[in-house]
Amino acid sequence: TYELETQESIGRGFRCGFLGTLHAEIISERLRREFDLDVVMSAPQVLCKVINKQDEEKLIFSAGKWPNPNEIKEAQEPWAKLEVISPLKYFGPVGEILSRTGGNFIERKYFGADRVFLIYEIPLREILVGFYDNLKGVSQGFASMNYEILGFRPTELVKLEILIAGEKKEAFSRIVPARNASGEGRKIVTKLKEILPPQLFSVSLQAAVSGRIVARETITAKRRD
């Protein structure tokens, strides 16, 4: 599926739905090879809901639309009911992945002597990026999953901003849970340090929440040789 979208940070484009990360990679590679397009792919994000001090609800499609924190009375994000079926011998690693999502354990059932059925309620954002690949990885491809949207639930969300040489780059901004802001910021600036070319001067990479720096890296300047 796809629909038109326009963002101030990266311009006009499409919001697309894929059958997984492999499908997304194949589509982007075909666009490059067959149509010679320089594709920019941004990370998927869920739709958030913000209730302001006047009790007005507003749907947030991207981090660029996130309001000032002083105007927010309550932030909500979609949750999902997640069902996972796995061979019993992979129950440990699968359970470890599920426990890291910050979701709520609901039920566990057994099918025969070798299969387990797990039900969790977790934030939808935890399913979107990497979860399916991790589930298949730890179960050697044998585990399967299904999910159902439950609706919006209150949560503490913040806008994570990335600054390169002191300048905010809106294209890298993300809406993340407050408890994960430092970790997410550290991952982004570390990745940017690996891929951005060095300059003739040192370049600071910072992750900030409401003006407070939560992570920092520095690209060292080129040497004379």
Side-chain angles (χ1 to χ4, degrees), residues 198-202 221-222:
Q199 305 296 317
L200 298 176
F201 50 88
S202 298
K222 288 182 177 180

Side-chain angles (χ1 to χ4, degrees), residues 35-70:
F35 299 93
D36 197 27
L37 292 176
D38 188 12
V39 181
V40 176
M41 298 187 68
S42 60
Q45 293 192 10
V46 298
L47 180 69
C48 299
K49 183 188 294 185
V50 168
I51 302 174
N52 61 22
K53 297 294 179 64
Q54 291 74 40
D55 291 327
E56 298 172 339
E57 294 185 358
K58 182 179 180 181
L59 295 177
I60 306 298
F61 292 87
S62 65
K65 303 295 183 181
W66 192 254
N68 190 303
N70 297 329

Side-chain angles (χ1 to χ4, degrees), residues 62-150:
S62 65
K65 303 295 183 181
W66 192 254
N68 190 303
N70 297 329
E71 302 173 3
I72 300 175
K73 177 181 179 181
E74 183 179 83
Q76 300 179 359
E77 67 173 342
W79 277 59
K81 177 184 177 183
L82 176 67
E83 300 172 343
V84 175
I85 299 177
S86 170
L88 193 57
K89 64 179 180 179
Y90 301 115
F91 172 67
V94 169
E96 185 177 343
I97 289 177
L98 290 167
S99 66
R100 293 201 300 262
T101 62
N104 303 321
F105 170 75
I106 302 299
E107 190 176 359
R108 180 172 66 221
K109 300 178 183 178
Y110 294 94
F111 292 107
D114 61 346
R115 289 193 177 275
V116 62
F117 180 65
L118 302 169
I119 301 177
Y120 274 73
E121 291 183 354
I122 71 173
L124 181 61
R125 58 179 159 76
E126 295 289 347
I127 300 176
L128 289 186
V129 182
F131 179 83
Y132 184 72
D133 293 336
N134 292 336
L135 180 65
K136 287 295 185 180
V138 300
S139 66
Q140 297 185 7
F142 286 101
S144 60
M145 58 168 276
N146 180 52
Y147 69 91
E148 174 187 349
I149 305 298
L150 297 174

